[in-house]
Each structure stands twice: as C-alpha cells, then as structure tokens.
Amino acid sequence: MQAFTIRPPPESVPQVSRGSRPAGLSSLRTDRPKSWCPVDLSSTSWTTRPALLWYDLGQVSRGTRVPHLSDPVLMCLQYPPGLSPQAGSIVSMSVSFSYKYLALFTDTGHLWTGLSSLQERLSEVDTKRTARPKQMLWCRRPRAQQPSVVLMWDRLLLVVGACNDTIQFPLEDESVLVAELDGVRIIGPSSQELLQEVPVVCQDIFKIASMAPGALLLEAHREYEKSSQKADEYLREIKEQNVLGDAVRQCVEAAAHEYDPDTQKALMRAASFGKCFLTEFSAEEFVTTCRELRVLNAVRERGVGMPLTHTQFKQMTLQVLIDRLVYRQLYPLAMEICRYLKIPDYQGVSRVLKHWASCKVQQKDLTDEAIARAVCAKVGDSPGVSYSDVAAKAYECGRTELAIKLLDFEARSGEQVPLLLKMKRSQLALSKAVESGDTDLVYTVVTYLKNEMNRGDFFMTLRNQPVALSLYRQFCKLQEPQTLKDLYNQDDDHQELGNFYVTASYREKRLEGRLSQLQGAVDEYNKAKNDFAAKATEDEMRLLRFQRKLDDEKGAGLLGLSLQATMEALMSLGLHKQAEQLYRDFRVPDKRFWWLKLKSLAEKEQWEELEKFSKSKKSPIGYLAFVEVCMKNNNRYEAKKYVSKVTPEQRVKAHLAVGDLEGAADAAIERRNEAEMAAVLSRCAASDRLVVDKLNRARASGAKK
Amino acid sequence: MAHSARRDSPELPDLSLLKRLVRDQLIYLLEQQHEVDKLYKVEYKPISSISDQLCFLIRPRIPTVKWICGKLCECRRLPAAFLLPAQFYACEAVLEEQGIFGDVTTDEWAFYLLPLDDDIISLELPEFFRDNFLAGDQRWVRTAGSALHLLHSLFGPFSKVYGIGRCSKMTYESWREQVEEGDQKPRLAEIGNVFLIDRDVDFVTPLCSQVVYEGLVDDIFRIKCGCVEFGTDVTSSEKSIKVMLNSKDKVFNEIRNEHFSNVFGFLSQKARNLQIAYDKRQGMDIKQMKAFVSEELKGLKQEHRLLTLHISASESIMKKKTKQDFQELLKTEHCLLEGFEIRECVSFIEEHINRQVSMIESLRLLCLLSVTENGLLPKDFRSLKAQYLQSYGADHLLTFSNLKQLGLLVEQQPGETLTVMESKVGKLVNDRTAGKLTDAFSSLAKKSNFRALSRKLNLVPKSDEEYDLRVPRDMAYIFSGAYVPLSCKLIEQVLERDGWTGLEEVTRLINGHEFAVTADFKPKSDAQRIILVMFLGGCTFSEISALRFLGKEKGYKFIVVTTAITNSSRLLEALLDNHV
C-alpha cells in the first residue's frame, strides 16, 4: 500500500462542499433508515432513474427517488453479495464521488466494498475496530488503480485498499474529510491537506530505480545540467528502446500533477530537452500544460488560495475558474488569465470587465464622476460590454446620476431607452428613442409618457420632438380623434383644427351636427387666415341648407352632393329655376353652367328648350360643343342647326362632326387652311370622289400661290 | 427593341432566390410553428373557417388589427395568432386596448422583398408614400433599411452608395447600423452600386401620362403585384382573366418598353410571323408534322394566345384614349413641361374640371401645372380650386390641404424672396446647420424649381426637332420625346460623374440631402455595372423603361427596388382625404 501518500498542498483556505437533502422520500416503511445515500444505477437493468440506498441492520434496501408523492416507490431489499454472515449489521455507508462504488461498515469492524448496484463485491476487510468511524469516504481518482476507502476516527486516519491492505495515519488535530474528484481533502483547524492516490505516471518517474522512459529522461536532463556525458548514455538508452516520445509525454503529464513549482520545472525542462531530439513531435500538449501550470500556480498562491489539482481544473474548465475568480472579485487576475490564455474577448476580458464595472458602480466612497470616468477608461469600447447593463446596475444601487452618466457612453441609443424610462428620465428617453430611428421605440416611450404625465406636459414634450409628434398624430387619427384636437389646440394650429372639424363633420349623421362642425371649421380657418378654405366651407354650409330645403320640399335626395351634382340632379328633375338660383348664388362660371345645361337638355332630348337656351345669349363655350353633344345623343338633325353658329376656326371640325364632308371641304377651302384640308381628306372614303377632287384642286391652287 | 444594345452588359443576379427564401420562411411559420391547415383570404366579411383556432397573416395596419379584434370578440374564437411582416408597437397597443392582448400571440414574418420580375423588386408598401412624405411617420424607414440589408447580405457587399433625399439618407443610415451590428461574410459582390432616391425629389415624372406600353396598361387596367386583370372588353367573352405580366411573357417582354405608337406595328408583324410559322404545316410529311406538333406547336399556341390578348388590350387602350381627347391631354402636358402657352393650358384644365372628365385626372393636371410652374398664380389658385370643389365636392378641401403640405399644389410666392434667402444662407454655411435651415425653409414653401432644373439638366429636348419614336435617342422617348424623367436623368448624371460633383446647383434646387459613399475595396468589374436603384415612395413603369433604355445604352444593368409600383392615380389617391 505504498501507493498512498499524504501530501500537504500549499497554504489554503478550507473549502466546504454543500450537501443536499433527499427529496421527499415516501417509503412503505415507517421507521427512519439508519443511513442513506444516493447512487447511480443507470448501468443496471433495474432502473434508469437515480436511486437511493438505505440500510437497516443487515440488509440494504433500494428505491427510486420519487418525483411526485403519488408515484409508486420502487423498492426492494437486498443483501450485499459476499458479505459474510458473521460481519454483523451495517452501521455506516458511503458512496464514491462518481456514485459507482459503495462502502459499508458493520458493527464488527468489517468494511465491505463493492459496486453500488450491489451486484459485485470488491473486497471485505476486517479493520479490527468496532467503533463506528466518524467519517467514511472513498478516495479515488478517475481511472484509479487502487480504489480505497478512508475512514476517520478521532485522531486516526485509516486507508483501506481493495487489496485488503491498510495504512494508518495519525491525525494531529480534529479534522473533517471532504471527498473530491481525485482524492480526499483533510481539513483541520489551521491547515488542509490532500490525500490522493499518486498518479501512475508520477509513480513511474519517481519510483526508486525506475527504468520508465520518463524517469530516464529526467535523469538524462539532470546529468546534462551537470554537463556530464552520462546524459548521452541515458538518452541513448531511451532512444534504443525507441520511447523518447513516450518519455517526453510522461514528463509533461507528471509535471501537470505535481504541486511544487521546482519539480514542475524540472520535469518540463526534461521534456523540453527530450523534445529537441524528436523531429515530428507536436508541441501542443507541452505548451498547453506550461500555460495551465502557470495559471494553476497563480491561483494556488497564498493570496488567492484555490488548491486545485490539475484533474479538477480540467474537469471544471477554465470558464468556471474565471467565474470563481470573478465571484471572489479577483478581477485583475481573471483578466490576466484571459489575456494570457488568449480567450476571445466576448467570453474573456469583456465578461470580466462587465462584472468589474457592475461591482465598481457599487463603491460608495467614490463620486459619480470618478466612477464614470474609471469605468469608461477601463471598458472603453470593448465588444460585449453593454454600458446600459452597467448603468442598470448603478440604478439598482440607487445611483441614478451615475447611471445617466454611464448611459451616455452607450453607442446604441436604443439600448438606453428602457433604463431611462425606468429611471423616469422620460424626456431624455424620448430624445434617445428618436435618435435611434426605431419608431417602435419612440412609440413605447410616447405611450409611457402618456400614462405618466399630465396632458399639458405630455403635449409640451411632444412639441419638442416632431418625429414623435407625427407618430402620435397618426395613432390618434385612427384611435383617438379627440386627443388629436387637443393636440392642435395646444399648438394653435388653426389650419389643422379646421381640417379636423371638416373631417368630423362627415361623421355626423344629422345635418345640424354637421353644420355646427363646419361652422367650427369656418372659425378656425378664419383664425388661420385661410379665407379660401373659410369661404369654401361657408359655401358648403349654404349648399347643405339649400339641399335640405329642397329635399324637404320636393324630396329631391340632394343632401351631400357636390354643387355640380346638385345642379345636374335639379336639371334632370326639371327644376331649372332652382338650378339657376344656385348658378347665381354660388357664382358658378358661365362655362360650367352652359356645359351642364347643354348636356342635361340633350340627354333629356328637350331639343326645343336647347335651341331656346342657345339663343338666350352668346354661348361662352362656343357652339361646337352644341354640335358635339347633339351628336353624342344621336341627333344629327339638331346638331346641324348649330354648325353655322360655330366660329370659322372650328367650323371644319363641326362639319366633320356631323359627317358633312362637303361642308367641311368648303369650309376648309374657304379658310385656305392646308392642315384642315388634309384632315378632311383623311376622312374621305373612295365613294367621296367629288369632294376629294375639289380638295385636291384647292390644294393644288393653294400650293401654286 | 430597335435600338442597339451594348453586348457587354453584365448578367443580372438571380432574384428568384428572394422568393424562395420568403416562401420557405412562411411555410415554416405556418406549418411548423402554428400548424395551419387551411388558408383563407382576409376580407372584411364574416370568417368562414370553422376551426377554433385562427391565425391571421396581416400587414401591421391599425384598422386591420381593429377589425380582427372585433371579429374575434364576436365569434368568441380565441386564442389566435397574428403574423405580421413587421411588428409594430402601435398594433400591440390596439390589441391591448381591445382587451385581447393576452389571448393572442403575435409573431413576425420577415417579409421585405417581392421580386416582380427579373429586374423589379417591390416592398409592396403602398402606404409608404403617404405615411412617410405626408404624415412624417418614419416607421417604414427601418423596414426599407432592413430590405436593403437583406439585399446587401445576399448580393453585396456594395462598393458605392449614392442617394438623394431625406428618407434615402435615413434609410442608408438605418442600413449601415444593421450592417455594423451583424457580421458580413466576405463574398463576391453581385451588385456593385446602389442609388437611393426619394419620390419627392421628382414629382413631375409620376404625374405625366404614361405612353409606354407597360405604363399604359398600368394606368388603364392597373397592374397589381405583376398581375393584371383584363376585363370583358378585352377578352371579348363573359369572363375577365388575370394575366401575369413579366419577362416570361415573350410577347409582352418585347413590347413593354415600347412607345405605344410602335406597339401596333410590332404586334401585326408578330402576327404575320406567327402565321408563317403556322403555315409551315402545309407541305409537311408525317414525320415533320410530328416534330412540329411536339416541338413548336405548343409554343406557337401560347404565343398566339398572348398575342391575341395584347392586341385586344391595345385596342381597348386605343378606344379609351381617343375618347378622352387623349391627344389634347398629351399636348397640354407637353406644353406644361416646356413652359409654353401656359394660359391655354390653364383654360384646358379649367374646362377639364368643369366638364368633370375625371376627379383624379383633373387633380393630376392641377398638380402638374403647379409643380412645373412653381405654384399657381394667386388668381388661378383660388378659381381653379373653387371650381374643383364645385365639381367634385367640398370635402376635397382636405385633399388640397394635403397637396399643399407636400408642395404639389401651391400658390406662387410673390417675388423670389425665399429663394434668394436660401441661396444666401446656402453660400454662407455649408454644413449640417445649413441643412437644418433649408429644411425649415422647405417646410415653409416647398418649391419644385422644375423650370430651372429642366434647363440645367436639359430635360426637355428642343421641340423643333423631329423625334423618331421608333429609334429612341434618349430616355425622353418614354414621354414621346417631350421630357426626360428627372429621376432617371439624375441617376444617369451621377453614374457618369461618379458622384455629385458638378451637380451642386442641381442638388441645391432639389433641396439637397444628397450623399455618395464609397467603400474601400475594389469589386469585380461586372458587378460594378449592376446598379440597384431604390425608389422610396414608389416608381412608375415608365421610369423602369427609361432605366432599361439607359442600361442598354451605357452597358449597365439596373435592378429597381421600389416601395411599390406607382402611377399618377395611385400617387394622388394616396393623398385624397375625402370622406368616401
């Protein structure tokens, strides 16, 4: 059992592991078990769920953990295989760090070890001590050669190996044992020690008279340092066996397990020495181990006090190590390590900086200004550090001013807004939101402000932010028309108020309501000095009243029509007098009225009326219109009546409109207009020989002249 | 196309990628996330689905959300899931107000871009124009920025970005922000240059009547999402039919960019060719016949069908356009563009209003007059507006107020005091404060300065020269040779000069916000000649045709991204505020 040694690790702080209580264990048995422990039975066929073992007197029961009380408890009784009958009843049990192995201690001093599935026995040893041990723990390491159990009585430590051998260590002080991944930590009142199985590779190298390649290499290097030619002999021996690669690897691995920096150095130097004689050897492992050792040595330092073994460090990963350093507020060391191991900023330096900054803002003895400056100087624009997060922390600690100062460093304005709102700096939040160009964000702030502020202040705030204002207006137009009005009122925007009333008037069903809205619009337009709009609205009101009157009198159904449509409707109802009244009252242009009446009469085929109308005064729209409208209503006879009245310039067109080619030709020739003649010609068909000839002659003579 | 094309034009990147991307995402959302088994179109009528869980796929518009809330409360079928192409706080606020926020889940479908054709991508956001330019609501800017970001990550990195207009600038900034947040994998650029342009930089072009085939079809039949519905007058049957109009339609592809006067000639030539192809059947032996049927006939049949369709569509267009004295209308527009015989134009417009030809058309002419003339004379301003109200109802008072705000229909300012002041300020300081100052001025009176721009950029070709529309000389062909669209001319000039240098006077007249940013890497030369043009607030088919022409002339390829396809009617309808 020489494989077990106790090595005192460097000065350290005791580490206390947290124990967990079993989840509600409902059992068919009513009495309390004497002892219990969780085991991993996933490798057995019995259950895939985590299980508990407990014992009572000579038998061991096992059952699965019960997630719900209603679940049936799987349970069975079992005797540990190979436990001799004279061994007595079990008084203590312990499961290994990996939950794979179980140790039982009986009242006769027998220690049974086996698999926790209770399917196989490893050994049974009589410790010759009947007193119940104070603590009983497994001492193993991954891929251990010698699994063993450590038992502790008051001042005695007993290590029992699977090979039935025991070692005893006296303890000076009262201590506590803690099982760890690769050993047992013995924590006394003033120091802590680690009991572990010596790794195979270290045994190989440091065993007395070892001929392992690593041992030879170490020796070779030692001799080399002494400038002795023995170095060559050792080296040759290794080379002859062709194991130089293994030798280097062994030295590197052993160095990782060593605690004393000098031993580490010696081993690493030996490895480096051996490496020189190898051509194709990857230096990666060597380099990583070097770096990791430096990190481990750094954290094992007195000031830090984390007595980590290399195996533990590998198991818990660098990430976790840095986290632990951060929790201990050892920021400079954490950052140094991140930089040294070249961890990407996002996972490394920036993360540490973030924690540092969050911690920094809580320093009560510094002024806001100093802290903000310090944070900015350190953090700069490191990627992944969000100033808004830091500011949020500052705000949590009640340092609003500092939070605002920090937010100023935040490049993304969108990130600043939520916190600013939380801090009730709504004005600032609004301007930051507008700056970000994200309308959703602006909306968020606006809605928040609306609920937080009184109306007047809210409007005043919006007034200074046109982007937010127009967004809010859009929203109000669809959702809260009344608020929109208040907004305009606040700004004395009479033009928009007028428009608002006009829009509102269309929502009114009753005429009175509509008129009063329109009157409101007129007043606002007047205030806005928009006399055109005011007059147009007044006209509209007048028209509405007129329409209402006629609707009441004649049931004409005019309400809401445009002026033009009203006149049209009146004419088609034969109410020419009323139409004319509108024409005068609303100063309808002559042209419009003439067009209207012309069309209306023609459509109703009141040709006589039309003729009378045409003679009532000189047509402001000319007479070609009469010709065209008549033709449109398929009355060539009537159309012809007006041809003669058409001005000479348009006469050809008029003739053509009624289909009178001859007349058109004559008119064109009379006007000696080449283009018109060509126009007539283009309309002539083959049957119109006479006309064509006439035109051609005229053109010929025209050309001569 | 009759004009010669440069043969070295680069190939366009495959935009159908966008479609696949969006489709897969939607299928995933609907099937995997929400287990939707049946789809219905959301219409404002009772819900016909009998499922007890409903999922709505809607645009984030407050009225739509409100309607759905009402429906849900009515038929008591909760919870429902909403999928919005972009989540808006305002919509959530509505849900909250209606008291069902807790019962619904909302989800976002990142739909930004719909490729309508090989070279047209639409955001399908017709409300962009009104929201952004009239209401000053910038909620869509981020959406546009995200769209640009998507294109950048798929086809970028862009090496040069030019832009003009306030919204363009903001979109650019929003995009840059997103670029900086995410990380761009280095890839070979397929699109080299980007040009961003605001619709309010050029109002004249969309206000003109379109005379290129595709534009005309849009003006008359209204193309929706690249699809047009031809009514019974075109199909000459009982049913109307829906047709996809894109480059896959061989016949359409050849006439879409043609001036309408050429279309008939082309179609009849095509018909003749088709007949010849059909006629090959005569004198074929069985074997040849077999080959003909299996190889050619289907294509010919298809072409025949399309040809018939486009011929009848053209006929229908002819009928409509001659009836409304289309020639007179065009003449007036050309006079306005040239600044010639303005009095006659005013009386034409007056008659147009008096005779109530069309509410939108009258408004269009009024706006065109105002924009080209830098506002109406006070006398005309009053009388034309009064007449318009008499014709189409007093509620258009609100429409006028909107138009005035946008600077589309304004009164001429007595004297040129404002311009003088502006130019003085502009000369004094040339930094951000000056920008803010000009902003303030422009809100006082938005001036179009069209006449001056037209002279500077030579937008209106001399009218005494004959313009052969079959052999277009420049982009003016899309307006019968009367006007080169300002938006396209700006793009041409900036690409030619590789920036805004030398165009200072022009940008001052447009009221600035121009920018040009060059990245510090050199992309391959082919991508350099593929230019993404993003119209914020919509673009017309005529502009697309003009850009296609420009591309052919200079060996560029343009990809047009627009918030929506627009035309004069859509533009003005978006600004109406009457109660109907």
Side-chain angles (χ1 to χ4, degrees), chain B residues 511-526:
Chain B
N511 194 9
H513 292 292
E514 78 282 358
F515 59 93
V517 186
T518 311
D520 48 5
F521 64 90
K522 200 90 191 128
K524 61 175 186 176
S525 58
D526 258 9

Side-chain angles (χ1 to χ4, degrees), chain A residues 603-620:
Chain A
E603 262 159 35
K604 295 184 83 184
E605 307 197 332
Q606 293 172 328
W607 306 116
E608 245 172 81
E609 283 289 319
L610 183 61
E611 199 172 341
K612 234 192 263 167
F613 173 58
S614 77
K615 285 172 183 159
S616 64
K617 69 181 205 186
K618 191 174 173 292
S619 162

Side-chain angles (χ1 to χ4, degrees), chain A residues 436-440 443-444 447 467 470-471 474-475 478-480 495-496 499 502-503 506 525 531-533 536-537 540 562-564 568 586-589 591-592 595 599 653, chain B residues 62-63 66 87-90 93-94 97 131 135-139 142 177 328 347 351 353-356 382 385-395 397-398 401 405 579:
Chain A
S436 78
D438 183 345
T439 44
D440 260 11
Y443 240 135
T444 320
T447 327
V467 176
S470 53
L471 259 176
Q474 282 285 92
F475 180 76
L478 291 158
Q479 288 290 79
E480 296 170 16
Q495 173 68 31
E496 284 296 338
N499 291 348
V502 172
T503 317
Y506 291 110
Y525 284 139
D531 45 336
F532 174 79
T537 316
E540 172 73 357
S562 71
L563 180 61
Q564 170 102 356
E568 253 170 42
F586 287 90
R587 289 205 211 114
V588 176
K591 279 186 183 172
R592 175 191 295 271
W595 267 111
K599 267 202 248 173
K653 238 182 175 175
Chain B
I62 291 179
K66 257 178 149 173
Q87 284 190 336
F88 278 146
Y89 187 76
V94 171
E97 219 160 83
D131 282 351
D137 175 349
Q138 298 161 353
R139 74 170 93 168
R142 210 176 162 77
E177 226 168 75
E328 294 267 326
S347 50
E351 194 179 318
I353 295 169
N354 279 340
R355 291 174 63 185
Q356 285 188 297
R382 289 183 70 95
K385 278 201 324 190
Q387 301 220 27
Y388 191 89
L389 294 181
Q390 287 183 358
S391 273
Y392 302 111
D395 39 349
L397 204 54
L398 301 176
S401 158
Q405 201 183 325
H579 62 290

Side-chain angles (χ1 to χ4, degrees), chain A residues 418-646:
Chain A
L419 185 63
L420 284 171
L421 278 186
K422 217 159 120 197
M423 298 193 297
K424 311 238 179 287
R425 299 298 160 117
S426 21
Q427 306 264 1
L428 198 55
L430 187 59
S431 51
K432 292 285 183 196
V434 169
E435 224 172 80
S436 78
D438 183 345
T439 44
D440 260 11
L441 208 56
V442 180
Y443 240 135
T444 320
V445 182
V446 168
T447 327
Y448 179 86
L449 291 183
K450 195 175 124 196
N451 299 330
E452 284 292 300
M453 294 174 142
N454 68 41
R455 233 165 201 226
D457 291 347
F458 175 54
F459 287 166
M460 281 311 279
T461 311
L462 283 185
R463 219 168 136 176
N464 298 326
Q465 292 290 353
V467 176
L469 182 62
S470 53
L471 259 176
Y472 187 60
R473 269 191 196 152
Q474 282 285 92
F475 180 76
C476 288
K477 249 180 209 165
L478 291 158
Q479 288 290 79
E480 296 170 16
Q482 216 48 46
T483 317
L484 193 63
K485 190 175 134 190
D486 298 344
L487 262 175
Y488 293 142
N489 253 328
Q490 167 106 3
D491 289 355
D492 289 331
D493 191 340
H494 298 295
Q495 173 68 31
E496 284 296 338
L497 269 173
N499 291 348
F500 174 79
Y501 282 121
V502 172
T503 317
S505 79
Y506 291 110
R507 281 198 291 271
E508 293 283 347
K509 291 276 179 303
R510 288 173 52 253
L511 182 65
E512 286 70 28
R514 202 158 157 186
L515 286 173
S516 80
Q517 294 281 16
L518 286 175
Q519 186 55 51
V522 172
D523 295 345
E524 293 300 336
Y525 284 139
N526 279 330
K527 279 185 209 157
K529 299 207 167 55
N530 185 343
D531 45 336
F532 174 79
K535 183 159 182 309
T537 316
E538 269 168 10
D539 283 354
E540 172 73 357
M541 289 168 68
R542 228 165 4 120
L543 182 63
L544 282 172
R545 289 205 188 94
F546 178 87
Q547 289 169 335
R548 170 62 165 274
K549 200 176 111 223
L550 270 187
D551 281 358
D552 288 349
E553 283 170 11
K554 319 254 176 187
L558 300 172
L559 200 65
L561 294 179
S562 71
L563 180 61
Q564 170 102 356
T566 312
M567 292 199 294
E568 253 170 42
L570 286 174
M571 284 183 190
S572 75
L573 286 169
L575 300 169
H576 287 282
K577 210 173 240 153
Q578 280 82 355
E580 250 165 78
Q581 191 197 333
L582 284 179
Y583 156 60
R584 280 193 307 273
D585 284 1
F586 287 90
R587 289 205 211 114
V588 176
D590 286 350
K591 279 186 183 172
R592 175 191 295 271
F593 187 70
W594 275 69
W595 267 111
L596 208 94
K597 190 149 184 178
L598 165 63
K599 267 202 248 173
S600 157
L601 288 173
E603 262 159 35
K604 295 184 83 184
E605 307 197 332
Q606 293 172 328
W607 306 116
E608 245 172 81
E609 283 289 319
L610 183 61
E611 199 172 341
K612 234 192 263 167
F613 173 58
S614 77
K615 285 172 183 159
S616 64
K617 69 181 205 186
K618 191 174 173 292
S619 162
I621 52 171
Y623 289 91
L624 182 61
F626 280 75
V627 176
E628 281 170 348
V629 170
C630 288
M631 284 307 293
K632 213 171 164 189
N633 288 287
N634 304 317
N635 195 330
R636 189 185 299 259
Y637 174 76
E638 286 295 327
K640 278 188 177 163
K641 282 189 187 166
Y642 302 104
V643 173
S644 59
K645 291 185 145 192
V646 174

